[in-house]
């Protein structure tokens, strides 16, 4: 069994990006600028956005964090998005999800300029991804592709089973694993809450990508020997023995599944760090595209 070490790989990617940013500075070019908008005080979201800002500093990007109160109206948020769309200094920006109930998430995503949508959630970017065109790939699926590529995990002709059909991970992952090229060229089954006999399907899979958010859902008896297991799940489970009062758990019963898997991602330290690294990569791409547009 080989661990797909997202922590180490994400550091490698950040080092590569930092080297590119250094070159840009030496050439007197503008460095990439990422903005993040957060509405409200959700603890997990604040932590996540904080780590994005730190990652920007680490690679030499400029970053702007815009905090808005949880009482922000949809109109106020859309106005802020329009300001960011028009701001030439900002290359890419994200609006941290989830949003408060009074705001329509779909409306917000639609309002973001696709050329600055470094999360890759806008329908224009999603459509380009589905058609194999150059675009911003959502950061988590992008991170998974990068892990598979850097560890040379073979995907051509393999049976990939994706568990979960969210627009952020499951759906794009199912499209990307079936695309031409590497990683890709696999035969994909997309499973979800209405899938019958899921165990029968997962035991036939060469590669399993699970993004359910159900702690320890994938058991050892649900996979075949030497399967590749990618765990996107991240859930806070109460744990009195931990000083924080909880531990982070993935969708995979890691201790047992790792004995059968050929490759596996840990939680934490697997897909999570890759997500932030790929957001930086998308921001670098946004900067390069904006440079050539002018």
């Amino acid at each position: 069994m080989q661990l797909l070490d997202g922590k180490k790989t994400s550091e490698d990617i950040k080092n590569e990006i930092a080297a590119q940013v250094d070159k840009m500075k030496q050439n007197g070019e503008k460095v990439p600028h990422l903005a993040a908008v957060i509405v409200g005080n959700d603890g997990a979201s604040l932590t996540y956005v904080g780590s994005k800002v730190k990652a920007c500093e680490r690679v030499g990007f400029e970053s702007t964090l815009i905090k808005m109160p949880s009482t922000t109206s949809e109109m106020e948020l859309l106005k802020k998005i329009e300001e960011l769309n028009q701001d030439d200094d900002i290359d890419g920006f994200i609006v941290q999800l989830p949003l408060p109930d009074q705001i329509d998430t779909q409306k917000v995503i639609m309002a973001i300029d696709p050329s600055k949508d470094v999360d890759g959630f806008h329908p224009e970017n999603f459509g380009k991804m589905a058609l194999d065109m150059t675009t911003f790939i959502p950061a988590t699926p992008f991170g998974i592709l990068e892990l598979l590529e850097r560890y040379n995990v073979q995907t051509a002709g393999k049976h990939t089973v994706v568990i979960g059909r969210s627009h952020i991970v499951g759906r794009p992952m199912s499209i990307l694993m079936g695309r031409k090229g590497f990683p890709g060229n696999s035969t994909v089954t997309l499973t979800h809450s209405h899938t019958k006999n899921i165990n029968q399907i997962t035991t036939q899979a060469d590669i399993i990508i699970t993004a359910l958010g159900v702690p320890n859902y994938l058991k050892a008896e649900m996979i075949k020997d030497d399967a590749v297991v990618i765990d996107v799940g991240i859930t806070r489970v109460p744990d009195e023995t931990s000083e924080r009062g909880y531990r982070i758990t993935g969708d995979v019963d890691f201790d047992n599944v790792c004995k059968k898997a050929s490759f596996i991602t840990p939680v934490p330290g697997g897909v999570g760090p890759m997500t932030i690294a790929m957001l930086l990569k998308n921001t670098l791409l946004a900067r390069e595209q904006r440079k050539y547009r002018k």
Side-chain angles (χ1 to χ4, degrees), residues 45-150:
S45 290
L46 284 166
T47 305
Y48 192 44
V49 169
S51 52
K52 288 172 182 175
V53 170
K54 268 193 208 135
C56 283
E57 285 167 17
R58 154 95 165 72
V59 299
F61 283 11
E62 287 180 27
S63 67
T64 301
L65 178 56
I66 299 154
K67 289 182 177 173
M68 301 180 81
S70 55
T71 52
T72 300
S73 71
E74 188 179 277
M75 191 55 74
E76 285 168 322
L77 179 55
L78 291 172
K79 193 171 169 236
K80 177 55 71 180
I81 287 168
E82 190 47 35
E83 280 173 31
L84 294 169
N85 284 342
Q86 300 300 331
D87 188 341
D88 265 351
D89 192 46
I90 286 169
D91 299 299
F93 68 94
I94 59 155
V95 178
Q96 185 63 37
L97 304 178
L99 290 165
D101 292 343
Q102 73 272 18
I103 298 171
D104 181 339
T105 301
Q106 204 58 55
K107 254 191 202 170
V108 166
I109 290 169
M110 290 292 288
I112 297 169
D113 178 347
S115 74
K116 292 190 176 190
D117 166 42
V118 287
D119 258 337
F121 295 162
H122 191 285
E124 185 178 310
N125 289 325
F126 197 98
K128 282 181 173 177
M129 177 202 70
L131 294 168
D132 277 347
M133 294 165 74
T134 302
T135 189
F136 302 118
I137 296 172
T140 300
F142 197 7
I144 293 167
L145 292 180
E146 196 77 12
L147 270 180
L148 293 171
E149 187 175 343
R150 290 187 183 229

Side-chain angles (χ1 to χ4, degrees), residues 35 37 57 64 84 86 103 107 113 159 164 179 201 203 212 234 240 272:
V37 181
E57 285 167 17
T64 301
L84 294 169
Q86 300 300 331
I103 298 171
K107 254 191 202 170
D113 178 347
H159 181 198
R179 68 180 183 170
I201 297 167
T203 49
L212 265 187
I234 183 157
E240 287 170 14

Side-chain angles (χ1 to χ4, degrees), residues 193-212:
S193 55
H194 290 265
T195 303
K196 291 178 179 170
N197 306 326
I198 196 161
N199 292 26
Q200 264 181 302
I201 297 167
T202 55
T203 49
Q204 294 168 19
D206 302 303
I207 301 165
I208 297 175
I209 301 166
T210 173
L212 265 187

Side-chain angles (χ1 to χ4, degrees), residues 60 139 150 158 184 189 201 226 264:
R150 290 187 183 229
K158 304 291 186 185
T189 304
I201 297 167
D226 292 331
I264 191 168

